[in-house]
């Protein structure tokens, strides 16, 4: 199964992605997490991506597509959930080519929706695990033990530098301008787009996402 989880920054894609991957045994491919790993590892891609990420701008499409192709080739025919990818129409077109080359096809596109005020509030409380990518929120979805990842036990959750207010506003603008057109791109074709109201508790949103991929 191949699933794309779409939605603005802060809508809860990371949290829902981890849960859906655990439930359906999918590989979680978060291009944001992959880029952060490249930065930590000091790779050439990490260095190239750095300044775009720190400004809340998108990393160029060809760098992202090269990275995703490599990941998909390494994965073989296992199930995948894309989180934070594609982010532009050229990336979606590029994904189509990569999937066709690998003899695979897209099964579901799920869109999480919430108002901007909700997104800004969520991003300000967000903490993520640098080890496994799990995402928590100090207000809405705190870890059982403060500052410790529930999933992998890593101690020391981080507040991303690009979750600071100015960068958050820019990321929302970038989303409206560059990523929202994707909704029409996928709506116009198959498998279509299923919308889930993300302004609910984590469990309710999870049920909505499950219904979207089961239905
Ligand atoms: P995220 O963790 O998905 O919010 O991504 C953090 C940052 O990584 C974004 O603000 C972009 O700078 C970069 N990024 C992640 N995924 C992509 C993508 N598919 N295309 C371009 N840039 C991306």
């Amino acid at each position: 199964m191949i699933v794309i989880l779409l939605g603005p920054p802060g809508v809860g894609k990371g949290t829902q992605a981890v849960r859906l991957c655990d439930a359906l045994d999918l590989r979680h491919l978060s291009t944001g997490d992959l880029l952060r790993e490249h930065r930590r590892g000091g790779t050439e891609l990490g260095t190239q991506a750095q300044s775009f990420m720190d400004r809340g701008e998108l990393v160029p499409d060809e760098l992202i597509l090269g990275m995703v192709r490599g990941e998909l080739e390494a994965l073989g025919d296992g199930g995948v959930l894309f989180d934070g990818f594609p982010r532009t129409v050229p990336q979606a077109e590029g994904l189509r080519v990569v999937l066709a080359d690998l003899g695979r096809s897209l099964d579901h596109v799920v869109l999480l929706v919430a108002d901007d005020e909700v997104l800004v509030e969520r991003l300000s409380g967000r903490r993520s695990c640098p080890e496994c990518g799990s995402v928590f929120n100090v207000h809405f979805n705190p870890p059982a033990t403060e500052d410790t990842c529930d999933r992998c036990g890593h101690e020391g959750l981080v507040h991303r530098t690009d979750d600071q207010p100015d960068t958050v506003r820019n990321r929302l603008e970038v989303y409206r301008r560059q990523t929202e057109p994707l909704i029409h791109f996928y709506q116009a074709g198959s498998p279509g787009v299923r919308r889930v109201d993300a302004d609910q508790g984590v469990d309710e949103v999870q049920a909505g996402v499950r219904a979207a991929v089961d239905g």
Side-chain angles (χ1 to χ4, degrees):
M1 182 188 283
I2 298 188
V3 182
I4 291 175
L5 202 51
L6 277 181
V11 79
K13 294 190 297 297
T15 302
Q16 294 301 329
V18 167
R19 290 178 171 221
L20 193 67
C21 287
D22 283 348
L24 299 183
D25 195 23
L26 304 174
R27 167 83 192 280
H28 181 193
L29 269 187
S30 155
T31 44
D33 285 349
L34 289 170
L35 290 168
R36 283 184 286 276
E37 265 170 42
H38 276 277
R39 287 181 62 167
R40 277 198 300 276
T43 68
E44 193 185 334
L45 173 59
T47 311
Q48 287 169 317
Q50 190 165 329
S51 63
F52 296 101
M53 293 175 77
D54 287 344
R55 292 195 306 271
E57 300 289 336
L58 295 185
V59 173
D61 291 333
E62 56 279 10
L63 296 180
I64 298 291
L65 280 166
M67 178 175 80
V68 168
R69 181 184 276 275
E71 293 290 328
L72 283 177
E73 283 173 355
L75 188 66
D77 55 9
V80 182
L81 185 144
F82 288 112
D83 161 13
F85 171 86
R87 279 253 226 309
T88 63
V89 171
Q91 287 182 19
E93 287 166 340
L95 176 63
R96 227 172 231 181
V97 173
V98 175
L99 291 179
D101 287 350
L102 298 175
R104 307 202 59 182
S105 60
L106 182 61
D107 296 287
H108 302 285
V109 179
V110 181
L111 172 66
L112 298 181
V113 285
D115 290 340
D116 277 10
E117 308 91 81
V118 175
L119 303 176
V120 172
E121 201 181 349
R122 284 194 185 164
L123 287 167
S124 70
R126 179 155 88 168
R127 301 291 180 275
S128 42
C129 174
E131 198 59 39
C132 75
S134 291
V135 186
F136 303 91
N137 190 292
V138 293
H139 312 299
F140 311 110
N141 176 32
T145 308
E146 201 183 320
D147 214 31
T148 302
C149 179
D150 284 349
R151 190 158 176 254
C152 75
H154 178 87
E155 281 180 40
L157 302 176
V158 294
H159 188 205
R160 287 165 39 180
T161 46
D162 62 348
D163 283 344
Q164 308 302 327
D166 279 354
T167 316
V168 162
R169 270 188 289 279
N170 193 34
R171 287 165 64 204
L172 287 172
E173 254 180 62
V174 166
Y175 175 79
R176 302 277 174 247
R177 206 171 54 239
Q178 294 180 268
T179 307
E180 254 181 9
L182 272 182
I183 298 167
H184 309 288
F185 176 92
Y186 282 121
Q187 249 162 5
S190 166
V193 176
R194 289 181 182 259
R195 285 168 191 267
V196 175
D197 175 10
D199 190 6
Q200 316 179 70
V202 178
D203 293 338
E204 287 76 18
V205 180
Q206 184 182 4
V209 172
R210 265 316 281 270
V213 299
D214 288 342

